[in-house]
Amino acid sequence: MTVYDFKVLDQQGNEVGLDKYQGKVLLIVNTATKCGFTPQYDALENMYEELKDQGFEILDFPCNQFFRQAPGTDEEINAFCTMKFNTKFTRFKKVDVKGKEASPLFQWLITQNKSGKAKAVKWNFTKFLINKNGEVVARFEPTDKPEDFIDQVKAELNK
């Protein structure tokens, strides 16, 4: 199984197959607009702008599970991110990333760490790096800033 086997919902509720991203390096992030890590949107957008022409995509999944730090509708979240941080990467419909109602994508992502043990998403801005084959190659916690792992992203792009 790879990330390409999953379907998710865009902001309008339309199903999107992640197979449309085959051959690209992806960074899948669960986000929130009222979190202490929300300023990472700036660094994520900078990374996206620098690397998008090399086959890099950021897939943003807002999540309201952590102290309700992603309030509002999908449209309100998108407007906030676009106006405040000028984000241009793809944002999907709000999802759960933990518990019984967790998105199947995130259920799969947490099982893909190298230790072999499932490790739940514990907070907003957990990031999963996906290689061109659709496999998880790294996981970055909320405290890991995009500028700290951009070289790892570039290395995946160059493979």
Side-chain angles (χ1 to χ4, degrees), residues 25-133:
V25 171
L26 307 176
L27 188 69
I28 297 175
V29 188
N30 72 296
T31 61
T33 54
K34 306 251 186 245
C35 174
F37 296 111
T38 302
Q40 284 189 22
Y41 268 123
D42 275 330
L44 289 168
E45 180 59 27
N46 289 340
M47 179 186 291
Y48 176 69
E49 287 299 323
E50 180 181 341
L51 302 175
K52 68 180 180 181
D53 293 336
Q54 298 172 47
F56 177 66
E57 295 287 341
I58 295 177
L59 308 183
D60 178 354
F61 290 88
C63 175
N64 199 34
Q65 285 187 287
F66 304 102
F67 292 117
R68 300 181 191 267
Q69 293 182 341
T73 65
D74 293 306
E75 294 78 19
E76 290 168 335
I77 290 169
N78 190 54
F80 171 84
C81 294
T82 303
M83 288 188 296
K84 181 145 177 78
F85 298 101
N86 198 30
T87 58
K88 295 175 194 74
F89 47 81
T90 305
R91 189 165 297 103
F92 293 90
K93 194 160 198 57
K94 201 183 298 187
V95 298
D96 283 354
V97 298
K98 66 177 189 162
K100 293 178 186 173
E101 300 299 316
S103 149
L105 171 63
F106 279 87
Q107 289 177 23
W108 176 78
L109 287 169
I110 65 168
T111 67
Q112 300 303 300
N113 62 30
K114 302 234 189 268
S115 70
K117 298 177 185 174
K119 184 178 176 187
V121 173
K122 295 184 178 168
W123 205 255
N124 304 308
F125 287 88
T126 300
K127 305 157 211 66
F128 297 89
L129 182 60
I130 313 296
N131 68 14
K132 294 175 185 177
N133 297 319

